[in-house]
Amino acid sequence: MDAVKIPTTRNGKATFQLIIDTTLDLFYKQGYHNTTIANITETAGIGAGTFYLYFPNKLMLYKHILKLLQHDIRRTIAAKVSTVEGRYNKEKEGIKTFIEYAIKYPHSYNIIWESLYIDKNLFIEYYDGFAKRYEIGLKQSILDGEMHDVDTELVSYILMGVSNFIGLKVLLNLGTNNNDVEKIVDQVMSIIKTGIFK
Amino acid sequence: MDAVKIPTTRNGKATFQLIIDTTLDLFYKQGYHNTTIANITETAGIGAGTFYLYFPNKLMLYKHILKLLQHDIRRTIAAKVSTVEGRYNKEKEGIKTFIEYAIKYPHSYNIIWESLYIDKNLFIEYYDGFAKRYEIGLKQSILDGEMHDVDTELVSYILMGVSNFIGLKVLLNLGTNNNDVEKIVDQVMSIIKTGIFK
DNA sequence: TCATAACCTGAAGATTCATTCAGATTATAT
DNA sequence: ATATAATCTGAATGAATCTTCAGGTTATGA
């Protein structure tokens, strides 16, 4: 068996969820590679064998968690973006939501990035998928005349790079100005809008 | 002993270097966590005990390598940037050199990023240091009237984010347009210069 | 040349960790 | 009520890996 086994009863579901919650916390604190199965089961207060009732190994558990997080982060951004009009506002809302998300759920941010060092293909799938979605909106904005005729693929990577590094900065508390997300986002947007050179 | 022991004789230096070269390759191909000491010594064709003659453990070897790479990448960029005049040209040269470096030495790029999941402080030190250097140049450009009065800390993170994600894109061969670095850099610069919105 | 320090080896012990499994408990549907 | 499936346990096995060390080789400087 190499797939995740979904429990059917109430007790089973609770244990399943307990494993996921415990693991989220441990992966965040210690990283994927430094977290052992024994580590997870002991912290969760369950028998070692119970783990294997639901997950064939640590990697499958990671993949399962990654999928959950990806859905959640995308859903959150999509929901927020849909509440505003115009590409500029949508872009701003997207970046803001992403950074807020990174601050609110540093676990997620951390675990998604770690995929690069667990299974490179997971990472590629994630960011390539993200970029492709981005491009759809960008292309529309160009058609609408809201945006210059840029290379949408490149711009989607640029925007991901910007969001991710600002997220990283805020998350790791690098530098000094981390207090006010709204303010940070405003500045980022103004730079994206008009460029930095005279 | 918890430090790296530098060899004194010619043979010693050769073995030391052999360990580093072998490890660079293995870390790149398999990642830090999937690379064992036995793995390194066998590939290098030396006895297991020889490793411990120079490095107390894998982490110290990693730190040593990371330091070497950081110096090299910074030196390379600084050298290139100093050959051109004006902040815009310097910025362009910096981004171009960074991306070229990532393509030429994917090992380095990969190993530096991995620090986030080996020892978070190493990662923080690296990028915070990089940002601080960046800021010096940016501040000067503002004084010279070449650049808008932006938040230099924020802009340095934005520029790092952009370079890193473009590097990532090219490296992982994401998307389609990866052939011509010069062309990519030109587009990136034009976006940074004038912004993306009308 | 030869004493000495540096260098090198790989088998062996120690440790950590993943995974199994026989046996026990619990929930649920009929 | 009870048969059945689902759930749970944790000691035990075994595989992978780190690290040491006693003994051997090589290079170098006096």
Side-chain angles (χ1 to χ4, degrees):
Chain A
M1 183 72 78
D2 62 341
V4 173
K5 162 96 183 301
I6 306 292
T8 57
T9 71
R10 185 143 51 88
N11 275 19
K13 279 181 215 278
T15 303
F16 186 86
Q17 193 58 45
L18 178 62
I19 291 174
I20 289 176
D21 292 340
T22 305
T23 304
L24 264 171
D25 201 47
L26 289 175
F27 278 178
Y28 178 60
K29 284 183 185 150
Q30 322 177 341
Y32 173 85
H33 292 285
N34 293 323
T35 302
T36 65
I37 309 283
N39 224 320
I40 293 168
T41 54
E42 271 163 30
T43 307
I46 61 178
T50 305
F51 178 90
Y52 294 95
L53 230 49
Y54 303 112
F55 303 97
N57 51 49
K58 197 170 62 162
L59 180 60
M60 284 302 146
L61 168 58
Y62 175 82
K63 284 189 180 181
H64 183 79
I65 288 177
L66 187 64
K67 212 166 280 178
L68 292 178
L69 298 184
Q70 288 182 352
H71 280 161
D72 190 55
I73 198 169
R74 280 182 179 168
R75 208 157 28 79
T76 303
I77 292 176
K80 280 283 204 152
V81 164
S82 72
T83 65
V84 296
E85 285 303 318
R87 178 49 39 181
Y88 177 82
N89 289 325
K90 282 183 186 296
E91 218 51 72
K92 179 177 175 179
E93 197 63 25
I95 290 175
K96 189 179 155 207
T97 306
F98 182 89
I99 294 172
E100 282 174 349
Y101 195 96
I103 292 169
K104 195 167 174 192
Y105 307 106
H107 301 57
S108 309
Y109 188 82
N110 206 65
I111 286 174
I112 289 172
W113 261 108
E114 197 166 15
S115 68
L116 183 54
Y117 296 101
I118 294 169
D119 181 343
K120 205 165 279 185
N121 289 321
L122 294 175
F123 182 90
I124 290 174
E125 260 173 56
Y126 179 69
Y127 280 98
D128 212 35
F130 211 109
K132 283 196 169 56
R133 287 196 172 206
Y134 234 136
E135 278 198 76
I136 296 171
L138 295 176
K139 279 188 174 133
Q140 190 56 52
S141 308
I142 294 172
L143 284 179
D144 295 347
E146 260 195 280
M147 194 174 272
H148 296 300
D149 187 19
V150 293
D151 178 332
T152 53
E153 188 177 88
L154 208 63
V155 168
S156 62
Y157 273 90
I158 287 176
L159 291 176
M160 288 197 297
V162 170
S163 319
N164 272 279
F165 262 67
I166 299 298
L168 208 62
K169 175 183 182 317
V170 175
L171 203 63
L172 298 181
N173 229 323
L174 294 173
T176 49
N177 315 316
N178 291 319
N179 336 358
D180 193 346
V181 176
E182 180 75 40
K183 214 168 170 180
I184 290 175
V185 174
D186 277 340
Q187 287 181 45
V188 171
M189 290 311 292
S190 116
I191 289 164
I192 291 174
K193 188 174 186 182
T194 60
I196 60 177
F197 292 102
K198 277 183 184 169
Chain B
M1 182 74 79
D2 61 341
V4 172
K5 163 98 184 302
I6 307 291
T8 57
T9 71
R10 183 143 53 88
N11 276 17
K13 280 183 215 274
T15 303
F16 187 85
Q17 192 59 45
L18 179 61
I19 291 173
I20 288 176
D21 291 340
T22 305
T23 304
L24 264 172
D25 201 47
L26 289 176
F27 278 179
Y28 177 61
K29 283 183 185 151
Q30 322 176 342
Y32 173 85
H33 293 285
N34 293 323
T35 302
T36 66
I37 310 282
N39 224 320
I40 293 168
T41 54
E42 272 164 29
T43 307
I46 60 177
T50 306
F51 178 89
Y52 294 95
L53 231 48
Y54 302 111
F55 303 97
N57 51 48
K58 197 170 64 165
L59 180 60
M60 285 301 147
L61 168 59
Y62 175 81
K63 285 189 180 180
H64 183 79
I65 287 177
L66 186 65
K67 212 167 282 177
L68 292 178
L69 297 184
Q70 289 181 353
H71 280 160
D72 190 55
I73 198 168
R74 280 180 179 168
R75 208 156 30 76
T76 304
I77 292 176
K80 280 283 203 149
V81 164
S82 72
T83 64
V84 297
E85 285 304 318
R87 178 49 39 182
Y88 177 83
N89 290 326
K90 282 184 186 297
E91 218 51 72
K92 179 178 175 179
E93 197 62 27
I95 290 175
K96 189 179 155 204
T97 307
F98 182 89
I99 293 172
E100 281 174 348
Y101 195 96
I103 292 169
K104 195 169 175 191
Y105 307 106
H107 301 55
S108 309
Y109 187 81
N110 205 63
I111 286 173
I112 289 173
W113 260 110
E114 198 166 13
S115 68
L116 182 56
Y117 296 101
I118 294 169
D119 183 343
K120 204 165 280 184
N121 289 321
L122 293 174
F123 183 89
I124 291 175
E125 259 174 57
Y126 178 69
Y127 280 99
D128 212 35
F130 211 111
K132 282 196 170 56
R133 286 195 171 206
Y134 234 136
E135 278 197 76
I136 296 171
L138 295 176
K139 277 184 175 136
Q140 190 56 50
S141 308
I142 294 172
L143 284 178
D144 294 349
E146 260 196 281
M147 193 175 274
H148 295 300
D149 187 18
V150 293
D151 177 333
T152 53
E153 188 176 89
L154 208 64
V155 168
S156 64
Y157 273 91
I158 287 174
L159 291 176
M160 288 198 298
V162 170
S163 319
N164 272 279
F165 262 68
I166 298 298
L168 210 60
K169 175 183 180 322
V170 174
L171 204 63
L172 298 180
N173 229 323
L174 294 174
T176 50
N177 315 318
N178 292 320
N179 338 357
D180 192 346
V181 175
E182 180 75 41
K183 215 168 171 180
I184 290 175
V185 174
D186 277 340
Q187 289 183 45
V188 170
M189 290 312 291
S190 116
I191 289 164
I192 291 174
K193 188 174 185 181
T194 60
I196 59 176
F197 292 103
K198 278 186 185 167

